[in-house]
Structure formats: structure tokens, C-alpha cells
Amino acid sequence: RVMGEAADTLARPYDQADRGRLEDLRGSVPRYCLVSRACVGPLLGSLKTRDVTCQTRARLARIALALLATRPEDGSLPADLSAVAAAGLDITDPFTSKPLGYRRTEGGFVLYSLGPDQRDDGGTPRRADAARSSQGQTSWDVVWAFPPPARAD
């Protein structure tokens, strides 16, 4: 029963999935189901987010490559994503079901999804150290930038 309800919740679009319900289901796994409680239960809360993040990165890559492949000889980029959408690519943000963010920059562009928090942070990527820090970055977007930003090593 619990896994069936979890699968139903995970099948919904991210912005329509009741992530609180996943946490409730995690708590309702019977104590005698040790494997489910120890292994599957903790994953339910993050599974949807990780899945949609992977889908988003793939979508951003497809769109970015299409933008780069269709540039005219002068190297200009379109003002918006309508040309990419007209070519049949999905420009919908998997996290919000609204259009992805896009802006031209000096010599390139930033293409982004609002990410799991569903707040527009203007294309601010997650810092590499944020995942390892206990005081990690709480607000960030899933970003594809061209050219890629310089790394601070």
C-alpha cells in the first residue's frame, strides 16, 4: 500500500506532487518492514527531487546545444526561446511547469530552471561546496551557462 501511494505521488509533475505526503508515507511503513524502513523510507523524500533534477539538466543541455547549433555566422543568440520551442524542443521547466529562464550575457547565455525551491534566483547556480556544508546554500537554480563560468580552484 505504502509503495503504491508513493509511486502515485512520484508520478505527478514536481509542482503538483505532495512531497509532504511522501514524508507521511515514510512514517507509515510498519516497524516489521526493516528493509523498507531503513533503505527505501529515507529515499522517498529526495527521490522525486533527484529525478526531476536529472531530467532538467538533460533538457537544459538539449536546449543549450540547439541554441549553439543554430547560431548564425555572426554568433548572435536569440532574444528568447521561441525559436527553440518552434523547432520542437520542450522549454518547460520540469520543476514549475512554466517556461525555463533564459538571458543573453556578454558573449553567451544563461539558461536555467527554478530548481527544487521553485524560486527564481536569477540563474544563480548551486555552489560546489554547498552540498558539503552544514550551512549550505539554500536557494539556487539548475543552470546551464555558456561559456561556462571560470572555476575557482
Side-chain angles (χ1 to χ4, degrees), residues 61-72:
R62 283 191 297 272
I63 293 169
L65 293 173
L67 287 168
L68 294 170
T70 59
R71 282 187 300 180

Side-chain angles (χ1 to χ4, degrees), residues 63-139:
I63 293 169
L65 293 173
L67 287 168
L68 294 170
T70 59
R71 282 187 300 180
E73 287 186 29
D74 68 1
S76 64
L77 291 161
D80 58 36
L81 296 176
S82 59
V84 176
L89 288 175
D90 187 356
I91 61 167
T92 305
D93 184 337
F95 283 103
T96 64
S97 300
K98 296 176 182 168
L100 291 162
Y102 168 77
R103 70 172 184 280
R104 293 182 290 189
T105 60
E106 184 72 31
F109 63 89
V110 173
L111 179 63
Y112 65 96
S113 159
L114 300 190
D117 67 1
Q118 300 178 356
R119 290 191 346 217
D120 191 343
D121 299 304
T124 302
R126 185 175 193 181
R127 292 189 326 261
D129 64 340
R132 294 184 297 272
S133 169
S134 62
Q135 298 170 330
Q137 184 178 2
T138 58
S139 189

